[in-house]
Amino acid sequence: MQKEIISDKQGILLIFFFFIGSSSIFAQGLEAKKDLWLAFMLGIVMVFPMVLIYARLHHIFPNQDLFDILEICFGKLLGKIMIVYYTWSVYFIASDILVNYGQFFKVVSLSDTPQIVPIIMFTILCIWAIKEGIEVLGRFSEIFFIVPVLTLLLIILLLIPNMDINHIRPMLQRGFQPVLEGAFSVFTFPFAQIVVFTMVLTNFQIKESSYKVYTIGVLMGAGYLFILSLTNILVLGAEIAETVYYPSYAAVSRIHVTDIIDRMEIVLTIVFVLGGVIKISLLLLCTCKGITKLCGCKNYRWIVIPISLLTINLAFFQYDSVMYYFEFNREIWPYYHLPFHLIFPMILWIVAEIKNKKGKNNI
């Protein structure tokens, strides 16, 4: 397979955009209500052991992606079975995120437009990005990085008059159990999805770059979402934030500065779209890489269009309504993908350390 090399900076920004993509219109950790900020911080702490595990895997197996590492650690047969599972997982997530974008545009603006239309338009753009290679996505993230940063600063400044500190007081009014539930929700979506980058990032500038790329990328993405989610709670309050589908969109819609600054939702939507292009492209890229690995092929580009069309099909039939989508993602999603995000990576890391130690002893 042709090597695709991106800089450490581009790797960091890809992780940043991956996190803020489909998550920028939500408020993660709402199970904790007023203590959302505390649940969010705990969720960040929970994901960092996984971040170190993924970085360590890259350090032990340089220039290898997750699919290669699975075969090295578990052998051909079991390794192929694991590759099938991981490939299905990223394929399912890609379809799920496409549904999210299709529903968003249908709910907030294009109510008379069939949901499949924005899904197809997004997929066409992602097909082009994938066929051009991850280097294009890396440069894309560098060019547009300033957009979400300025957007967040602008939103915070303009929403200050609408913020109420009592929306996050008193602390731990309902005990610590809701905080744990909120932290688990934040961990499973979106932080634990960092596993996707073990399938994407293989050629780092130096061997130790994996630690820097993962750590800084996660901190930047988590910090952005933390500030945005906290802003939502301060503006809307936990009760209102729980009753709307897209809290960030609802909060930003309250910005009104005379007749000069209004309808700022479009700015947040731009960030949502930019992050979505990168996130969906990376997920489809991982799916194509997994299938080509199973087939023993060296180039994934030939399969991009068929897999993308299959993803559109799954997205079209996946959920009956936006209500069912949110119910699934709240009740089933965290547990459905838990082995993919947590259990299997930990087992893989243990096996990798054992093999690495045996390899050193045989030298």
Side-chain angles (χ1 to χ4, degrees), residues 226-261:
F226 172 77
I227 295 172
L228 189 59
S229 295
L230 182 59
T231 300
N232 294 336
I233 293 298
L234 288 172
V235 172
L236 300 175
E239 290 74 17
I240 296 178
E242 284 186 310
T243 61
V244 296
Y245 288 130
Y246 309 109
S248 295
Y249 191 87
V252 175
S253 66
R254 296 194 175 191
I255 295 177
H256 181 73
V257 182
T258 64
D259 294 326
I260 301 175
I261 301 178

PDB file of all heavy atoms in Angstrom, residues 226-261:
ATOM      1  N   PHE A 226     -15.484  21.004  25.670  1.00  0.00           N
ATOM      2  CA  PHE A 226     -15.782  21.362  27.062  1.00  0.00           C
ATOM      3  C   PHE A 226     -16.298  22.795  27.147  1.00  0.00           C
ATOM      4  O   PHE A 226     -17.325  23.060  27.788  1.00  0.00           O
ATOM      5  CB  PHE A 226     -14.526  21.201  27.913  1.00  0.00           C
ATOM      6  CG  PHE A 226     -14.678  21.722  29.313  1.00  0.00           C
ATOM      7  CD1 PHE A 226     -15.381  21.000  30.267  1.00  0.00           C
ATOM      8  CD2 PHE A 226     -14.114  22.938  29.681  1.00  0.00           C
ATOM      9  CE1 PHE A 226     -15.527  21.480  31.556  1.00  0.00           C
ATOM     10  CE2 PHE A 226     -14.248  23.427  30.969  1.00  0.00           C
ATOM     11  CZ  PHE A 226     -14.956  22.690  31.910  1.00  0.00           C
ATOM     12  N   ILE A 227     -15.603  23.719  26.505  1.00  0.00           N
ATOM     13  CA  ILE A 227     -16.009  25.128  26.547  1.00  0.00           C
ATOM     14  C   ILE A 227     -17.367  25.310  25.873  1.00  0.00           C
ATOM     15  O   ILE A 227     -18.240  26.032  26.383  1.00  0.00           O
ATOM     16  CB  ILE A 227     -14.938  26.009  25.864  1.00  0.00           C
ATOM     17  CG1 ILE A 227     -13.628  25.955  26.653  1.00  0.00           C
ATOM     18  CG2 ILE A 227     -15.424  27.442  25.738  1.00  0.00           C
ATOM     19  CD1 ILE A 227     -12.464  26.633  25.959  1.00  0.00           C
ATOM     20  N   LEU A 228     -17.569  24.634  24.746  1.00  0.00           N
ATOM     21  CA  LEU A 228     -18.836  24.777  24.025  1.00  0.00           C
ATOM     22  C   LEU A 228     -19.997  24.194  24.824  1.00  0.00           C
ATOM     23  O   LEU A 228     -21.074  24.807  24.919  1.00  0.00           O
ATOM     24  CB  LEU A 228     -18.727  24.085  22.663  1.00  0.00           C
ATOM     25  CG  LEU A 228     -19.874  24.312  21.680  1.00  0.00           C
ATOM     26  CD1 LEU A 228     -20.036  25.790  21.379  1.00  0.00           C
ATOM     27  CD2 LEU A 228     -19.632  23.536  20.384  1.00  0.00           C
ATOM     28  N   SER A 229     -19.801  23.018  25.424  1.00  0.00           N
ATOM     29  CA  SER A 229     -20.863  22.394  26.213  1.00  0.00           C
ATOM     30  C   SER A 229     -21.176  23.216  27.468  1.00  0.00           C
ATOM     31  O   SER A 229     -22.349  23.370  27.853  1.00  0.00           O
ATOM     32  CB  SER A 229     -20.465  20.967  26.610  1.00  0.00           C
ATOM     33  OG  SER A 229     -20.337  20.136  25.482  1.00  0.00           O
ATOM     34  N   LEU A 230     -20.138  23.736  28.118  1.00  0.00           N
ATOM     35  CA  LEU A 230     -20.347  24.582  29.296  1.00  0.00           C
ATOM     36  C   LEU A 230     -21.109  25.851  28.925  1.00  0.00           C
ATOM     37  O   LEU A 230     -21.995  26.297  29.669  1.00  0.00           O
ATOM     38  CB  LEU A 230     -18.998  24.931  29.926  1.00  0.00           C
ATOM     39  CG  LEU A 230     -19.042  25.774  31.208  1.00  0.00           C
ATOM     40  CD1 LEU A 230     -19.831  25.056  32.298  1.00  0.00           C
ATOM     41  CD2 LEU A 230     -17.624  26.078  31.697  1.00  0.00           C
ATOM     42  N   THR A 231     -20.780  26.420  27.768  1.00  0.00           N
ATOM     43  CA  THR A 231     -21.501  27.596  27.285  1.00  0.00           C
ATOM     44  C   THR A 231     -22.978  27.286  27.087  1.00  0.00           C
ATOM     45  O   THR A 231     -23.861  28.082  27.446  1.00  0.00           O
ATOM     46  CB  THR A 231     -20.883  28.097  25.966  1.00  0.00           C
ATOM     47  OG1 THR A 231     -19.513  28.443  26.169  1.00  0.00           O
ATOM     48  CG2 THR A 231     -21.638  29.319  25.447  1.00  0.00           C
ATOM     49  N   ASN A 232     -23.268  26.102  26.524  1.00  0.00           N
ATOM     50  CA  ASN A 232     -24.660  25.705  26.310  1.00  0.00           C
ATOM     51  C   ASN A 232     -25.434  25.646  27.622  1.00  0.00           C
ATOM     52  O   ASN A 232     -26.581  26.113  27.706  1.00  0.00           O
ATOM     53  CB  ASN A 232     -24.714  24.333  25.628  1.00  0.00           C
ATOM     54  CG  ASN A 232     -24.150  24.356  24.228  1.00  0.00           C
ATOM     55  OD1 ASN A 232     -24.107  25.397  23.581  1.00  0.00           O
ATOM     56  ND2 ASN A 232     -23.698  23.209  23.750  1.00  0.00           N
ATOM     57  N   ILE A 233     -24.805  25.048  28.642  1.00  0.00           N
ATOM     58  CA  ILE A 233     -25.473  24.924  29.938  1.00  0.00           C
ATOM     59  C   ILE A 233     -25.666  26.289  30.589  1.00  0.00           C
ATOM     60  O   ILE A 233     -26.721  26.584  31.164  1.00  0.00           O
ATOM     61  CB  ILE A 233     -24.671  23.993  30.874  1.00  0.00           C
ATOM     62  CG1 ILE A 233     -24.690  22.571  30.339  1.00  0.00           C
ATOM     63  CG2 ILE A 233     -25.235  24.024  32.284  1.00  0.00           C
ATOM     64  CD1 ILE A 233     -26.064  21.958  30.270  1.00  0.00           C
ATOM     65  N   LEU A 234     -24.677  27.143  30.513  1.00  0.00           N
ATOM     66  CA  LEU A 234     -24.783  28.474  31.116  1.00  0.00           C
ATOM     67  C   LEU A 234     -25.869  29.310  30.451  1.00  0.00           C
ATOM     68  O   LEU A 234     -26.519  30.133  31.100  1.00  0.00           O
ATOM     69  CB  LEU A 234     -23.437  29.199  31.023  1.00  0.00           C
ATOM     70  CG  LEU A 234     -22.322  28.689  31.947  1.00  0.00           C
ATOM     71  CD1 LEU A 234     -21.000  29.352  31.605  1.00  0.00           C
ATOM     72  CD2 LEU A 234     -22.682  28.942  33.416  1.00  0.00           C
ATOM     73  N   VAL A 235     -26.071  29.095  29.171  1.00  0.00           N
ATOM     74  CA  VAL A 235     -27.064  29.879  28.434  1.00  0.00           C
ATOM     75  C   VAL A 235     -28.458  29.266  28.551  1.00  0.00           C
ATOM     76  O   VAL A 235     -29.433  29.963  28.856  1.00  0.00           O
ATOM     77  CB  VAL A 235     -26.661  30.009  26.949  1.00  0.00           C
ATOM     78  CG1 VAL A 235     -27.784  30.666  26.140  1.00  0.00           C
ATOM     79  CG2 VAL A 235     -25.373  30.805  26.818  1.00  0.00           C
ATOM     80  N   LEU A 236     -28.569  27.962  28.311  1.00  0.00           N
ATOM     81  CA  LEU A 236     -29.879  27.308  28.255  1.00  0.00           C
ATOM     82  C   LEU A 236     -30.336  26.763  29.597  1.00  0.00           C
ATOM     83  O   LEU A 236     -31.536  26.727  29.882  1.00  0.00           O
ATOM     84  CB  LEU A 236     -29.844  26.162  27.241  1.00  0.00           C
ATOM     85  CG  LEU A 236     -29.518  26.514  25.786  1.00  0.00           C
ATOM     86  CD1 LEU A 236     -29.411  25.248  24.975  1.00  0.00           C
ATOM     87  CD2 LEU A 236     -30.562  27.450  25.194  1.00  0.00           C
ATOM     88  N   GLY A 237     -29.381  26.303  30.409  1.00  0.00           N
ATOM     89  CA  GLY A 237     -29.733  25.528  31.597  1.00  0.00           C
ATOM     90  C   GLY A 237     -29.884  24.065  31.226  1.00  0.00           C
ATOM     91  O   GLY A 237     -30.221  23.728  30.091  1.00  0.00           O
ATOM     92  N   ALA A 238     -29.616  23.181  32.173  1.00  0.00           N
ATOM     93  CA  ALA A 238     -29.627  21.744  31.884  1.00  0.00           C
ATOM     94  C   ALA A 238     -31.003  21.258  31.448  1.00  0.00           C
ATOM     95  O   ALA A 238     -31.121  20.396  30.570  1.00  0.00           O
ATOM     96  CB  ALA A 238     -29.159  20.971  33.115  1.00  0.00           C
ATOM     97  N   GLU A 239     -32.074  21.804  32.047  1.00  0.00           N
ATOM     98  CA  GLU A 239     -33.423  21.328  31.732  1.00  0.00           C
ATOM     99  C   GLU A 239     -33.775  21.606  30.279  1.00  0.00           C
ATOM    100  O   GLU A 239     -34.306  20.741  29.578  1.00  0.00           O
ATOM    101  CB  GLU A 239     -34.447  21.992  32.656  1.00  0.00           C
ATOM    102  CG  GLU A 239     -34.382  21.538  34.114  1.00  0.00           C
ATOM    103  CD  GLU A 239     -33.180  22.109  34.858  1.00  0.00           C
ATOM    104  OE1 GLU A 239     -32.597  23.098  34.345  1.00  0.00           O
ATOM    105  OE2 GLU A 239     -32.830  21.578  35.916  1.00  0.00           O
ATOM    106  N   ILE A 240     -33.500  22.812  29.804  1.00  0.00           N
ATOM    107  CA  ILE A 240     -33.812  23.157  28.412  1.00  0.00           C
ATOM    108  C   ILE A 240     -32.882  22.422  27.458  1.00  0.00           C
ATOM    109  O   ILE A 240     -33.297  21.936  26.398  1.00  0.00           O
ATOM    110  CB  ILE A 240     -33.709  24.685  28.193  1.00  0.00           C
ATOM    111  CG1 ILE A 240     -34.765  25.394  29.036  1.00  0.00           C
ATOM    112  CG2 ILE A 240     -33.864  25.036  26.725  1.00  0.00           C
ATOM    113  CD1 ILE A 240     -34.721  26.902  28.924  1.00  0.00           C
ATOM    114  N   ALA A 241     -31.593  22.313  27.815  1.00  0.00           N
ATOM    115  CA  ALA A 241     -30.625  21.637  26.956  1.00  0.00           C
ATOM    116  C   ALA A 241     -31.019  20.184  26.703  1.00  0.00           C
ATOM    117  O   ALA A 241     -30.743  19.628  25.634  1.00  0.00           O
ATOM    118  CB  ALA A 241     -29.230  21.704  27.583  1.00  0.00           C
ATOM    119  N   GLU A 242     -31.673  19.560  27.679  1.00  0.00           N
ATOM    120  CA  GLU A 242     -32.093  18.175  27.526  1.00  0.00           C
ATOM    121  C   GLU A 242     -33.317  18.032  26.630  1.00  0.00           C
ATOM    122  O   GLU A 242     -33.575  16.945  26.101  1.00  0.00           O
ATOM    123  CB  GLU A 242     -32.404  17.560  28.894  1.00  0.00           C
ATOM    124  CG  GLU A 242     -31.174  17.192  29.706  1.00  0.00           C
ATOM    125  CD  GLU A 242     -31.544  16.454  30.974  1.00  0.00           C
ATOM    126  OE1 GLU A 242     -32.420  16.947  31.709  1.00  0.00           O
ATOM    127  OE2 GLU A 242     -30.963  15.379  31.225  1.00  0.00           O
ATOM    128  N   THR A 243     -34.067  19.089  26.456  1.00  0.00           N
ATOM    129  CA  THR A 243     -35.313  18.996  25.693  1.00  0.00           C
ATOM    130  C   THR A 243     -35.144  19.315  24.215  1.00  0.00           C
ATOM    131  O   THR A 243     -36.078  19.100  23.444  1.00  0.00           O
ATOM    132  CB  THR A 243     -36.370  19.946  26.279  1.00  0.00           C
ATOM    133  OG1 THR A 243     -35.891  21.304  26.209  1.00  0.00           O
ATOM    134  CG2 THR A 243     -36.660  19.591  27.734  1.00  0.00           C
ATOM    135  N   VAL A 244     -33.998  19.833  23.804  1.00  0.00           N
ATOM    136  CA  VAL A 244     -33.769  20.169  22.393  1.00  0.00           C
ATOM    137  C   VAL A 244     -32.804  19.164  21.782  1.00  0.00           C
ATOM    138  O   VAL A 244     -31.965  18.589  22.474  1.00  0.00           O
ATOM    139  CB  VAL A 244     -33.214  21.605  22.240  1.00  0.00           C
ATOM    140  CG1 VAL A 244     -34.235  22.613  22.711  1.00  0.00           C
ATOM    141  CG2 VAL A 244     -31.908  21.785  22.992  1.00  0.00           C
ATOM    142  N   TYR A 245     -32.927  18.956  20.485  1.00  0.00           N
ATOM    143  CA  TYR A 245     -32.061  17.996  19.805  1.00  0.00           C
ATOM    144  C   TYR A 245     -30.627  18.513  19.701  1.00  0.00           C
ATOM    145  O   TYR A 245     -29.675  17.754  19.874  1.00  0.00           O
ATOM    146  CB  TYR A 245     -32.597  17.712  18.404  1.00  0.00           C
ATOM    147  CG  TYR A 245     -33.857  16.884  18.377  1.00  0.00           C
ATOM    148  CD1 TYR A 245     -34.957  17.290  17.631  1.00  0.00           C
ATOM    149  CD2 TYR A 245     -33.949  15.693  19.102  1.00  0.00           C
ATOM    150  CE1 TYR A 245     -36.119  16.529  17.593  1.00  0.00           C
ATOM    151  CE2 TYR A 245     -35.107  14.936  19.079  1.00  0.00           C
ATOM    152  CZ  TYR A 245     -36.187  15.356  18.314  1.00  0.00           C
ATOM    153  OH  TYR A 245     -37.330  14.599  18.290  1.00  0.00           O
ATOM    154  N   TYR A 246     -30.488  19.806  19.433  1.00  0.00           N
ATOM    155  CA  TYR A 246     -29.164  20.368  19.173  1.00  0.00           C
ATOM    156  C   TYR A 246     -28.928  21.577  20.078  1.00  0.00           C
ATOM    157  O   TYR A 246     -29.213  22.725  19.694  1.00  0.00           O
ATOM    158  CB  TYR A 246     -29.035  20.765  17.697  1.00  0.00           C
ATOM    159  CG  TYR A 246     -29.432  19.655  16.753  1.00  0.00           C
ATOM    160  CD1 TYR A 246     -30.611  19.740  15.996  1.00  0.00           C
ATOM    161  CD2 TYR A 246     -28.650  18.506  16.639  1.00  0.00           C
ATOM    162  CE1 TYR A 246     -30.974  18.711  15.134  1.00  0.00           C
ATOM    163  CE2 TYR A 246     -29.008  17.476  15.777  1.00  0.00           C
ATOM    164  CZ  TYR A 246     -30.173  17.582  15.040  1.00  0.00           C
ATOM    165  OH  TYR A 246     -30.549  16.554  14.195  1.00  0.00           O
ATOM    166  N   PRO A 247     -28.430  21.355  21.295  1.00  0.00           N
ATOM    167  CA  PRO A 247     -28.287  22.449  22.269  1.00  0.00           C
ATOM    168  C   PRO A 247     -27.391  23.591  21.786  1.00  0.00           C
ATOM    169  O   PRO A 247     -27.704  24.762  22.055  1.00  0.00           O
ATOM    170  CB  PRO A 247     -27.672  21.743  23.485  1.00  0.00           C
ATOM    171  CG  PRO A 247     -28.078  20.312  23.343  1.00  0.00           C
ATOM    172  CD  PRO A 247     -28.089  20.046  21.877  1.00  0.00           C
ATOM    173  N   SER A 248     -26.288  23.271  21.135  1.00  0.00           N
ATOM    174  CA  SER A 248     -25.395  24.335  20.674  1.00  0.00           C
ATOM    175  C   SER A 248     -26.099  25.254  19.684  1.00  0.00           C
ATOM    176  O   SER A 248     -25.971  26.481  19.737  1.00  0.00           O
ATOM    177  CB  SER A 248     -24.143  23.739  20.024  1.00  0.00           C
ATOM    178  OG  SER A 248     -23.379  23.029  20.959  1.00  0.00           O
ATOM    179  N   TYR A 249     -26.848  24.663  18.786  1.00  0.00           N
ATOM    180  CA  TYR A 249     -27.592  25.443  17.801  1.00  0.00           C
ATOM    181  C   TYR A 249     -28.635  26.316  18.488  1.00  0.00           C
ATOM    182  O   TYR A 249     -28.819  27.489  18.141  1.00  0.00           O
ATOM    183  CB  TYR A 249     -28.248  24.493  16.801  1.00  0.00           C
ATOM    184  CG  TYR A 249     -28.827  25.163  15.581  1.00  0.00           C
ATOM    185  CD1 TYR A 249     -28.045  25.405  14.459  1.00  0.00           C
ATOM    186  CD2 TYR A 249     -30.175  25.544  15.549  1.00  0.00           C
ATOM    187  CE1 TYR A 249     -28.579  26.005  13.326  1.00  0.00           C
ATOM    188  CE2 TYR A 249     -30.714  26.150  14.425  1.00  0.00           C
ATOM    189  CZ  TYR A 249     -29.917  26.374  13.318  1.00  0.00           C
ATOM    190  OH  TYR A 249     -30.449  26.979  12.209  1.00  0.00           O
ATOM    191  N   ALA A 250     -29.309  25.738  19.501  1.00  0.00           N
ATOM    192  CA  ALA A 250     -30.319  26.493  20.232  1.00  0.00           C
ATOM    193  C   ALA A 250     -29.701  27.646  21.018  1.00  0.00           C
ATOM    194  O   ALA A 250     -30.265  28.741  21.091  1.00  0.00           O
ATOM    195  CB  ALA A 250     -31.079  25.563  21.171  1.00  0.00           C
ATOM    196  N   ALA A 251     -28.537  27.400  21.618  1.00  0.00           N
ATOM    197  CA  ALA A 251     -27.872  28.453  22.395  1.00  0.00           C
ATOM    198  C   ALA A 251     -27.413  29.595  21.494  1.00  0.00           C
ATOM    199  O   ALA A 251     -27.635  30.777  21.806  1.00  0.00           O
ATOM    200  CB  ALA A 251     -26.690  27.862  23.160  1.00  0.00           C
ATOM    201  N   VAL A 252     -26.789  29.256  20.377  1.00  0.00           N
ATOM    202  CA  VAL A 252     -26.270  30.291  19.469  1.00  0.00           C
ATOM    203  C   VAL A 252     -27.415  31.080  18.840  1.00  0.00           C
ATOM    204  O   VAL A 252     -27.256  32.273  18.525  1.00  0.00           O
ATOM    205  CB  VAL A 252     -25.380  29.638  18.386  1.00  0.00           C
ATOM    206  CG1 VAL A 252     -24.929  30.671  17.356  1.00  0.00           C
ATOM    207  CG2 VAL A 252     -24.154  28.995  19.028  1.00  0.00           C
ATOM    208  N   SER A 253     -28.574  30.465  18.687  1.00  0.00           N
ATOM    209  CA  SER A 253     -29.714  31.177  18.094  1.00  0.00           C
ATOM    210  C   SER A 253     -30.191  32.325  18.981  1.00  0.00           C
ATOM    211  O   SER A 253     -30.956  33.182  18.534  1.00  0.00           O
ATOM    212  CB  SER A 253     -30.861  30.196  17.836  1.00  0.00           C
ATOM    213  OG  SER A 253     -31.382  29.701  19.061  1.00  0.00           O
ATOM    214  N   ARG A 254     -29.752  32.356  20.244  1.00  0.00           N
ATOM    215  CA  ARG A 254     -30.142  33.437  21.147  1.00  0.00           C
ATOM    216  C   ARG A 254     -29.293  34.691  20.973  1.00  0.00           C
ATOM    217  O   ARG A 254     -29.540  35.703  21.624  1.00  0.00           O
ATOM    218  CB  ARG A 254     -30.052  32.959  22.600  1.00  0.00           C
ATOM    219  CG  ARG A 254     -31.028  31.823  22.919  1.00  0.00           C
ATOM    220  CD  ARG A 254     -31.159  31.605  24.409  1.00  0.00           C
ATOM    221  NE  ARG A 254     -32.175  30.601  24.722  1.00  0.00           N
ATOM    222  CZ  ARG A 254     -32.644  30.362  25.930  1.00  0.00           C
ATOM    223  NH1 ARG A 254     -32.172  31.051  26.967  1.00  0.00           N
ATOM    224  NH2 ARG A 254     -33.558  29.429  26.128  1.00  0.00           N
ATOM    225  N   ILE A 255     -28.264  34.604  20.148  1.00  0.00           N
ATOM    226  CA  ILE A 255     -27.430  35.784  19.903  1.00  0.00           C
ATOM    227  C   ILE A 255     -28.223  36.789  19.064  1.00  0.00           C
ATOM    228  O   ILE A 255     -28.693  36.469  17.970  1.00  0.00           O
ATOM    229  CB  ILE A 255     -26.128  35.398  19.176  1.00  0.00           C
ATOM    230  CG1 ILE A 255     -25.262  34.508  20.078  1.00  0.00           C
ATOM    231  CG2 ILE A 255     -25.365  36.644  18.755  1.00  0.00           C
ATOM    232  CD1 ILE A 255     -24.000  34.019  19.408  1.00  0.00           C
ATOM    233  N   HIS A 256     -28.358  37.980  19.603  1.00  0.00           N
ATOM    234  CA  HIS A 256     -29.060  39.046  18.868  1.00  0.00           C
ATOM    235  C   HIS A 256     -28.530  40.384  19.358  1.00  0.00           C
ATOM    236  O   HIS A 256     -28.832  40.824  20.467  1.00  0.00           O
ATOM    237  CB  HIS A 256     -30.571  38.956  19.081  1.00  0.00           C
ATOM    238  CG  HIS A 256     -31.339  39.998  18.332  1.00  0.00           C
ATOM    239  ND1 HIS A 256     -31.523  39.955  16.959  1.00  0.00           N
ATOM    240  CD2 HIS A 256     -31.966  41.121  18.761  1.00  0.00           C
ATOM    241  CE1 HIS A 256     -32.223  41.004  16.575  1.00  0.00           C
ATOM    242  NE2 HIS A 256     -32.509  41.735  17.656  1.00  0.00           N
ATOM    243  N   VAL A 257     -27.723  41.016  18.526  1.00  0.00           N
ATOM    244  CA  VAL A 257     -27.145  42.315  18.864  1.00  0.00           C
ATOM    245  C   VAL A 257     -27.763  43.341  17.923  1.00  0.00           C
ATOM    246  O   VAL A 257     -27.333  43.488  16.761  1.00  0.00           O
ATOM    247  CB  VAL A 257     -25.609  42.307  18.748  1.00  0.00           C
ATOM    248  CG1 VAL A 257     -25.047  43.668  19.153  1.00  0.00           C
ATOM    249  CG2 VAL A 257     -25.015  41.194  19.593  1.00  0.00           C
ATOM    250  N   THR A 258     -28.774  44.038  18.391  1.00  0.00           N
ATOM    251  CA  THR A 258     -29.581  44.980  17.594  1.00  0.00           C
ATOM    252  C   THR A 258     -29.929  44.334  16.248  1.00  0.00           C
ATOM    253  O   THR A 258     -30.383  43.208  16.195  1.00  0.00           O
ATOM    254  CB  THR A 258     -28.826  46.319  17.414  1.00  0.00           C
ATOM    255  OG1 THR A 258     -27.629  46.082  16.662  1.00  0.00           O
ATOM    256  CG2 THR A 258     -28.475  46.922  18.753  1.00  0.00           C
ATOM    257  N   ASP A 259     -29.712  45.050  15.159  1.00  0.00           N
ATOM    258  CA  ASP A 259     -29.980  44.502  13.829  1.00  0.00           C
ATOM    259  C   ASP A 259     -28.688  44.194  13.075  1.00  0.00           C
ATOM    260  O   ASP A 259     -28.706  43.908  11.875  1.00  0.00           O
ATOM    261  CB  ASP A 259     -30.807  45.502  12.998  1.00  0.00           C
ATOM    262  CG  ASP A 259     -32.187  45.704  13.584  1.00  0.00           C
ATOM    263  OD1 ASP A 259     -32.722  44.722  14.133  1.00  0.00           O
ATOM    264  OD2 ASP A 259     -32.721  46.830  13.503  1.00  0.00           O
ATOM    265  N   ILE A 260     -27.574  44.272  13.799  1.00  0.00           N
ATOM    266  CA  ILE A 260     -26.282  44.101  13.131  1.00  0.00           C
ATOM    267  C   ILE A 260     -25.850  42.646  13.129  1.00  0.00           C
ATOM    268  O   ILE A 260     -25.465  42.087  12.094  1.00  0.00           O
ATOM    269  CB  ILE A 260     -25.210  44.967  13.833  1.00  0.00           C
ATOM    270  CG1 ILE A 260     -25.633  46.438  13.791  1.00  0.00           C
ATOM    271  CG2 ILE A 260     -23.859  44.781  13.153  1.00  0.00           C
ATOM    272  CD1 ILE A 260     -24.709  47.352  14.567  1.00  0.00           C
ATOM    273  N   ILE A 261     -25.896  42.004  14.303  1.00  0.00           N
ATOM    274  CA  ILE A 261     -25.444  40.608  14.435  1.00  0.00           C
ATOM    275  C   ILE A 261     -26.637  39.744  14.805  1.00  0.00           C
ATOM    276  O   ILE A 261     -27.221  39.897  15.883  1.00  0.00           O
ATOM    277  CB  ILE A 261     -24.334  40.481  15.494  1.00  0.00           C
ATOM    278  CG1 ILE A 261     -23.135  41.361  15.124  1.00  0.00           C
ATOM    279  CG2 ILE A 261     -23.896  39.027  15.625  1.00  0.00           C
ATOM    280  CD1 ILE A 261     -22.017  41.336  16.142  1.00  0.00           C
TER     281      ILE A 261
END
